[in-house]
Amino acid sequence: MVQGATPLPEQSEPVPEEPRPSSPKVLPEGILLTAEIKSYHYEAEEYWFRVHAIFQPYGDSPSQSLPLAKELVLFRSYNDFYDFQVELLDTFPYEAGRPDTSTRILPYMPGPVDVVDNEITMTRREELDEYLHKLCALKSYARYILEHHLVRAFCSLKPGDGEVNVEPRRGEIEALRKSSYEGERQSYTDPNAAADQMSRLRVSPHPENRL
């Protein structure tokens, strides 16, 4: 049997490159606390929005101290937002107002257009920033949405994204747990409490070309 040539002493075996994962590693269980769009730029024939977000992972058990929070810098295109929103609407039909629009609490985002230019993108930046703020506001009542796999996948790092570990957001998490406990207790003692909480989260009737 013919064997390959033995490398010379000064040579080294070629190290095979590790294949890139087909999809980014999903963030661990936790909650998206804040997200906003700082800017946008045009690259590779597409507009990209720069998203700054804070994600707080949970510990393995409630008794365990919180891990470090993650400060994320993400670059997402309009199509990324669009696909994310479609999945949210399909995953949470009641919260999406299906079939009764009065139950909708998921925020609207701008719909697609035929031609995209800098002016359209500037408007989209403002509207998508508002969308993210309203989405994160759900943590006060419907935090299960911000804990969902879809949100964690959307915020997972892709090539070009960045992540920095920061101090755990203990105060915010404790406040959320307290508000959740008080909300459940109030709902138990007052049948109208849940309806009142939901009404405060209702989104306004959507204008044309919204999703």
Side-chain angles (χ1 to χ4, degrees), residues 47-61:
Y47 286 97
W48 297 90
F49 300 95
R50 181 186 177 111
V51 180
H52 287 207
I54 298 293
F55 181 84
Q56 176 60 64
Y58 294 149
D60 294 333
S61 64

Side-chain angles (χ1 to χ4, degrees), residues 3 7 28 31 41 50 53 55 74 79 111 114 120 138 140 163 183:
Q3 296 180 338
I31 184 170
H41 70 279
R50 181 186 177 111
F55 181 84
L74 313 170
N79 288 337
D114 295 330
I120 291 292
L138 296 176
S140 63
E163 170 189 310

Side-chain angles (χ1 to χ4, degrees), residues 1-208:
M1 183 175 66
V2 178
Q3 296 180 338
T6 303
L8 297 175
E10 65 271 19
Q11 292 179 322
S12 59
E13 292 279 359
V15 179
E17 294 183 2
E18 293 186 4
R20 287 189 174 185
S22 57
S23 58
K25 183 179 179 181
V26 176
L27 290 173
E29 290 191 5
I31 184 170
L32 177 65
L33 294 175
T34 65
E36 59 182 340
I37 296 181
K38 291 290 190 179
S39 61
Y40 68 89
H41 70 279
Y42 187 75
E43 181 182 351
E45 300 185 354
E46 194 161 17
Y47 286 97
W48 297 90
F49 300 95
R50 181 186 177 111
V51 180
H52 287 207
I54 298 293
F55 181 84
Q56 176 60 64
Y58 294 149
D60 294 333
S61 64
S63 60
Q64 192 177 39
S65 60
L66 280 176
L68 293 172
K70 297 179 181 294
E71 189 173 294
L72 308 172
V73 177
L74 313 170
F75 292 93
R76 299 292 181 266
S77 67
Y78 170 81
N79 288 337
D80 291 328
F81 278 97
Y82 180 87
D83 293 342
F84 170 63
Q85 177 75 339
V86 169
E87 289 185 300
L88 276 182
L89 297 177
D90 290 341
T91 303
F92 300 103
Y94 181 84
E95 292 83 348
R98 298 174 180 174
D100 183 1
T101 57
S102 67
T103 67
R104 177 157 185 163
I105 61 173
L106 288 174
Y108 290 96
M109 66 163 279
V113 296
D114 295 330
V115 179
V116 178
D117 55 19
N118 189 68
E119 184 176 355
I120 291 292
T121 305
M122 187 180 302
T123 302
R124 279 182 170 177
R125 190 209 72 79
E126 296 175 355
E127 293 176 331
L128 289 174
D129 182 63
E130 181 183 9
Y131 166 79
L132 288 177
H133 278 88
K134 289 183 176 179
L135 184 68
C136 290
L138 296 176
K139 65 188 177 186
S140 63
Y141 183 71
R143 78 184 203 192
Y144 58 90
I145 295 177
L146 298 172
E147 296 170 330
H148 195 270
H149 178 274
L150 285 177
V151 175
R152 293 187 283 121
F154 180 76
C155 294
S156 297
L157 298 186
K158 298 180 179 180
D161 295 342
E163 170 189 310
V164 176
N165 289 330
V166 294
E167 287 298 312
R169 299 302 181 99
R170 296 186 183 88
E172 293 178 63
I173 297 300
E174 284 301 320
L176 288 177
R177 288 172 177 168
K178 183 178 179 182
S179 64
S180 177
Y181 169 75
E182 291 181 348
E184 291 175 359
R185 184 177 61 181
Q186 187 178 14
S187 298
Y188 178 78
T189 57
D190 182 3
N192 297 320
D196 291 341
Q197 287 179 317
M198 289 291 288
S199 66
R200 287 197 294 270
L201 287 172
R202 293 280 184 261
V203 293
S204 57
H206 66 285
E208 293 183 0

